[in-house]
Amino acid sequence: MRTLALTLLLASAALAAESDFNGRWDITVHTQPRPRAWWVELTGVGTPKPSGYFVSAYGGDRNVINTITFRNGTLRFTCTPPKREGKDQEPTRVYTASLTGGKLEGTYTLEGRSDAPLRWTGVRAPVIDEKDDGSWKEGKAIQLFNGKDLSGWKALVPNVPVKWTVQDGVLRNAPPTTDIVSERSFWNFKLHVDFRIVEHSNSGIGLRGRYEVQILDDYGQPPNTHGAGALYSRIAPAVNASKPAGEWQSYDIRLVGRMLTVVHNGKLVLDKVHVDGLTAIADNADENEPGPFIIQGDHSYVEIKSFVVTPLTR
């Protein structure tokens, strides 16, 4: 009887160790020179049917985790990109992690490759309970783009050509180039952006350096999680409010805690939706701290003529 009780106790302890991996984790990737952050959500670890999501193994998406296993204190999970027609199958992404001092200490490799593992550290995503409940007061509006030059902005990737210029009061990029990041950081705020794109453009605005509101040439297309006005790869806009490429458009964005509202060209497309976690634009994983704005310029052309931030305080 004592042997059976001890066996059950040890099994229970092992199960608890596995279940400690469950939850949402903000991940700092130890790479240089480009800062990078990932995000993982794990559920059911320690049960016969674990599952999860990862941002981002491929495509900049909120990827479904394909397999999750646990052995000798180490969690292993994988994400396999779908095969594209006419393309070779991309290798499976393999992640391992152990719990050390309440943090995930992990590695990333490509299956079948002999490259040295990329190392990363995960911390539990914070609970942010601030609500956009009408109690927030507007501070002084700040013109983050002065209409003259790149003052107040820096390259996301250091030591590369920054092919952004200002002409006739308009900020424009010449891709391929780096994203640019505001030197100032913000927490809760209102943001007004006037932007213009060309055909087939793909850009975005990163909030707190973590959450992307997509900019895309998708006039007349059905709304989806990759479309204009979406919280990229997470929440689709209620309607597609895009104008044709070549016309000036606007975003009015409001972020309080994890509550996000987006008005696109005067139409409400996201109404106080909940931001579960990072998107692929993230350059930092410190969700409990203020962060910068990012203007995505590494994909294709975008122009900005107004970028006005109004801090919200109590």
Side-chain angles (χ1 to χ4, degrees):
M1 184 63 70
R2 289 181 180 179
T3 301
L4 177 60
L6 180 59
T7 300
L8 292 174
L9 180 61
L10 291 174
S12 175
L15 184 64
E18 292 182 58
S19 65
D20 287 344
F21 286 84
N22 289 317
R24 293 171 176 168
W25 299 85
D26 293 333
I27 295 172
T28 297
V29 189
H30 304 304
T31 57
Q32 295 295 333
R34 185 209 189 284
R36 188 176 294 277
W38 295 335
W39 177 92
V40 67
E41 180 178 22
L42 298 166
T43 57
V45 179
T47 75
K49 293 184 177 180
S51 62
Y53 295 97
F54 186 81
V55 176
S56 168
Y58 54 86
D61 286 342
R62 175 176 170 267
N63 306 123
V64 173
I65 295 175
N66 299 110
T67 68
I68 301 174
T69 57
F70 183 84
R71 185 176 181 182
N72 297 330
T74 298
L75 184 79
R76 182 184 188 271
F77 62 92
T78 66
C79 296
T80 303
K83 190 177 188 307
R84 295 182 293 173
E85 186 175 354
K87 302 288 185 179
D88 292 337
Q89 175 65 55
E90 293 184 46
T92 293
R93 281 64 164 153
V94 180
Y95 305 84
T96 66
S98 59
L99 267 171
T100 305
K103 296 182 178 181
L104 295 183
E105 296 295 341
T107 66
Y108 161 66
T109 56
L110 295 176
E111 194 170 67
R113 302 282 180 87
S114 58
D115 301 338
L118 183 64
R119 299 197 172 277
W120 52 268
T121 300
V123 299
R124 288 200 178 276
V127 174
I128 303 173
D129 56 7
E130 294 171 333
K131 306 297 182 184
D132 193 0
D133 55 7
S135 64
W136 297 89
K137 298 178 181 178
E138 296 184 12
K140 183 178 179 181
I142 302 166
Q143 298 273 0
L144 275 194
F145 169 52
N146 64 15
K148 300 176 183 179
D149 54 37
L150 280 169
S151 296
W153 296 86
K154 61 184 179 181
L156 175 62
V157 181
N159 303 318
V160 300
V162 183
K163 294 184 285 185
W164 290 80
T165 59
V166 179
Q167 300 176 23
D168 301 321
V170 175
L171 174 66
R172 56 172 58 93
N173 66 332
T177 186
T178 176
D179 299 350
I180 54 174
V181 185
S182 68
E183 293 179 349
R184 297 184 62 171
S185 293
F186 298 87
W187 182 244
N188 294 333
F189 56 82
K190 291 192 336 180
L191 171 66
H192 177 83
V193 183
D194 291 312
F195 65 92
R196 182 167 63 183
I197 52 177
V198 300
E199 288 187 359
H200 311 301
S201 278
N202 180 344
S203 181
I205 305 296
L207 313 177
R208 297 186 192 143
R210 297 167 205 135
Y211 320 121
E212 180 184 352
V213 176
Q214 169 79 316
I215 291 175
L216 190 72
D217 173 31
D218 65 349
Y219 173 73
Q221 301 299 313
N224 65 79
T225 57
H226 291 74
L231 176 60
Y232 186 76
S233 82
R234 288 186 175 274
I235 304 177
V239 297
N240 181 349
S242 290
K243 295 180 180 180
E247 296 187 21
W248 283 104
Q249 307 191 53
S250 67
Y251 279 151
D252 289 284
I253 298 170
R254 184 179 175 97
L255 181 62
V256 174
R258 291 189 181 275
M259 297 181 71
L260 173 66
T261 296
V262 176
V263 175
H264 184 192
N265 295 327
K267 294 183 179 179
L268 181 64
V269 298
L270 296 179
D271 186 10
K272 296 182 180 179
V273 300
H274 188 268
V275 180
D276 286 344
L278 308 182
T279 69
I281 203 171
D283 75 336
N284 73 90
D286 301 325
E287 281 199 282
N288 225 10
E289 298 294 332
F293 290 101
I294 300 173
I295 302 177
Q296 190 177 68
D298 62 344
H299 286 10
S300 48
Y301 292 92
V302 64
E303 296 179 322
I304 304 288
K305 71 175 180 180
S306 180
F307 203 102
V308 182
V309 184
T310 303
L312 300 175
T313 59
R314 277 191 169 135

